[in-house]
Amino acid sequence: MGNKNGKIVLTEEIIEELSRSSGIEKKLVKQQCETFLVEHPSGNINKSDFKKFVKMALPDLNMKKMEANIFRMYDTNQDGNVSMEEFLIVFHVFSSGSAEENLQRIFRIFDVDNNGVISKNELKKLVKDMSSQCGDDVLTDSTFLEMDKDKDGSITSKEFCAAVLAQDKFSKFLAVQVIDMFT
């Protein structure tokens, strides 16, 4: 984002970069950015506004339980805000990304402490948060056993993606439950 007299300004260079990184046509990027900036002049959306936005876009999603998990997926630099760039990139990945790119984004929902691995407690919390759609200890235990291929007590992004792509029974079920929340 450019900055002129303390106000965020869209430059052609920024629009081109966002278009390239997000995969969205330049004209549409410019239109979406201008709308975003009218509503969020700082160029960032906080958790509270993000929750309202997601509730409007996905009215059936239970944001009370899943808010922090979904926000973490979008807040890729972990600064407590979702920038316009972060939002557009995640939006593009989900709309046209490869299966592996999409699964890496979903992995961020499961990795509660952002340390690059999923612990059994993190998986258990997510299953509990999704409990209206699925969930109990059997699902947590079975999924964890499927995904933790090296039996080191944590699941890496690579293990997560491999288990879902291999269509392991419980891993696939849980990933589909997360994907269904967005469709």
Side-chain angles (χ1 to χ4, degrees):
M1 294 286 130
N3 194 326
K4 185 175 184 178
N5 298 327
K7 185 177 179 185
I8 295 192
V9 204
L10 284 176
T11 64
E12 191 60 33
E13 182 181 344
I14 292 167
I15 292 169
E16 285 179 27
E17 175 61 26
L18 285 173
S19 176
R20 185 187 59 72
S21 64
S22 69
I24 301 172
E25 180 184 325
K26 281 188 349 182
K27 182 179 176 182
L28 187 55
V29 166
K30 183 176 181 176
Q31 182 181 26
Q32 290 175 340
C33 289
E34 288 171 347
T35 300
F36 186 96
L37 288 174
V38 166
E39 296 178 19
H40 306 284
S42 70
N44 294 305
I45 187 169
N46 62 29
K47 265 188 182 180
S48 176
D49 288 342
F50 182 80
K51 179 180 177 180
K52 292 174 193 169
F53 172 79
V54 172
K55 186 66 177 166
M56 182 180 66
L58 302 167
D60 295 332
L61 183 62
N62 183 350
M63 277 302 286
K64 184 175 182 183
K65 291 184 175 185
M66 294 300 294
E67 173 185 353
N69 299 315
I70 294 168
F71 188 82
R72 185 176 49 260
M73 179 178 66
Y74 280 89
D75 184 17
T76 58
N77 67 358
Q78 302 172 30
D79 68 353
N81 291 294
V82 174
S83 70
M84 188 165 39
E85 295 96 329
E86 288 171 320
F87 182 80
L88 288 172
I89 289 167
V90 172
F91 176 79
H92 173 67
V93 167
F94 269 120
S95 62
S96 62
S98 70
E100 192 161 342
E101 288 172 322
N102 291 338
L103 289 173
Q104 287 171 353
R105 288 288 176 199
I106 291 170
F107 177 83
R108 288 183 52 78
I109 293 175
F110 289 82
D111 183 15
V112 176
D113 62 7
N114 291 308
N115 68 349
V117 295
I118 302 168
S119 69
K120 192 166 187 177
N121 285 338
E122 288 172 319
L123 185 62
K124 186 175 187 170
K125 181 185 180 334
L126 189 71
V127 168
K128 182 181 176 203
D129 288 350
M130 295 172 56
S131 65
S132 64
Q133 298 165 352
C134 59
D136 61 4
D137 288 339
V138 172
L139 178 59
T140 300
D141 294 341
S142 300
T143 305
F144 199 84
L145 284 172
E146 280 182 356
M147 290 185 177
D148 185 18
K149 298 293 186 196
D150 60 9
K151 308 295 182 220
D152 67 350
S154 63
I155 301 164
T156 65
S157 177
K158 187 175 180 176
E159 288 173 316
F160 176 84
C161 292
V164 176
L165 290 173
Q167 298 195 13
D168 290 346
K169 183 179 178 180
F170 295 102
S171 304
K172 180 182 175 187
F173 174 77
L174 197 55
V176 167
Q177 294 302 309
V178 172
I179 291 166
D180 283 350
M181 291 187 312
F182 295 96
T183 58

